[in-house]
Amino acid sequence: MTNPPMRVTIVPVTPLQQNCTVIWCTATMKAAVVDPGGDLPRIEAAIAQAGVTVEKILLTHGHIDHAGEAKPLADKLGVAIEGPHEADRFWLARLDEDGRNWGLRGVVFEPDRWLRDGDTVSVGDLVLDVYETPGHTPGHVIFHHAPSNLALVGDVLFQGSIGRTDFPMSDHDALIRSVVTKLWPLGDATTFIPGHGPASTFAHERRSNAFVSDRVLGG
């Protein structure tokens, strides 16, 4: 396929090297910025280089490295923020405090739209499915574009690892359930972009991930 329906560029931001992702519809060149945690000039440069028009910001969860500068970027671009699930209100309400603790900029806000399991979000002509994936945070969500076999999974799953569950309101067992009941059913062929580190596929992680492989979980 010479012109896939969706294109993606990854912009690592903050000292935590969080994968902010710009996704866009190739038919309309309308875009969304997923998890703009910081380093807005780098994100804006990526938007300009892609030649796209951002129409919204999407958030997987409320941690500082994913959401810290969502509000300033939304205000600058004049766009809405969609996500995460309302259970992450706790995290969004303390972005300024967490920003001070981490040496990052954190601006408190409420999204224009909280997301729930079964919702969809649109980007140009693209429609992405929303799945609730609690564990790392209680209100974590992921975004899946079935025609592209691509998922944006935030800090649920990484290449060779899983999200941390030593934060307030984290739940290790819930995280494992989220991986098994929400991610794996999307199919082994699915490529995923995690919140940190390189992309991988669900097939690869089911074979080799030290925390959630079929062998480890007895699948």
Side-chain angles (χ1 to χ4, degrees), residues 10 18 74 76 93 121-122 124 133 135 161 164 174 179 210:
I10 298 171
Q18 191 276 123
K76 187 169 186 178
V121 295
S122 61
T133 51
S161 188
R164 288 173 56 180
V179 171

Side-chain angles (χ1 to χ4, degrees), residues 150 157-160 189-194 198-205 208:
L150 183 73
L157 181 69
F158 305 116
Q159 185 185 81
T190 302
T191 295
F192 70 92
I193 298 173
S200 183
T201 67
F202 290 162
H204 180 78
E205 301 311 308
S208 63

Side-chain angles (χ1 to χ4, degrees), residues 105-128:
R105 183 186 185 196
V107 179
V108 172
F109 68 95
E110 276 204 13
D112 299 277
R113 178 190 178 197
W114 298 105
L115 296 175
R116 301 179 65 177
D117 207 78
D119 283 346
T120 60
V121 295
S122 61
V123 181
D125 293 341
L126 305 174
V127 177
L128 285 74

Side-chain angles (χ1 to χ4, degrees), residues 41-118:
R42 296 183 64 192
I43 298 172
E44 290 171 306
I47 294 166
Q49 184 174 3
V52 297
T53 301
V54 174
E55 60 179 9
K56 66 184 60 177
I57 290 169
L58 302 176
L59 296 179
T60 62
H61 64 292
H63 281 167
I64 182 71
D65 54 325
H66 292 254
E69 293 202 63
K71 177 62 172 171
L73 183 60
D75 287 347
K76 187 169 186 178
L77 298 177
V79 300
I81 301 172
E82 300 185 12
H85 183 278
E86 193 171 3
D88 265 17
R89 183 189 292 273
F90 163 84
W91 285 108
L92 297 180
R94 54 179 278 175
L95 283 171
D96 54 349
E97 175 187 346
D98 287 340
R100 288 191 296 271
N101 291 339
W102 286 91
L104 301 171
R105 183 186 185 196
V107 179
V108 172
F109 68 95
E110 276 204 13
D112 299 277
R113 178 190 178 197
W114 298 105
L115 296 175
R116 301 179 65 177
D117 207 78

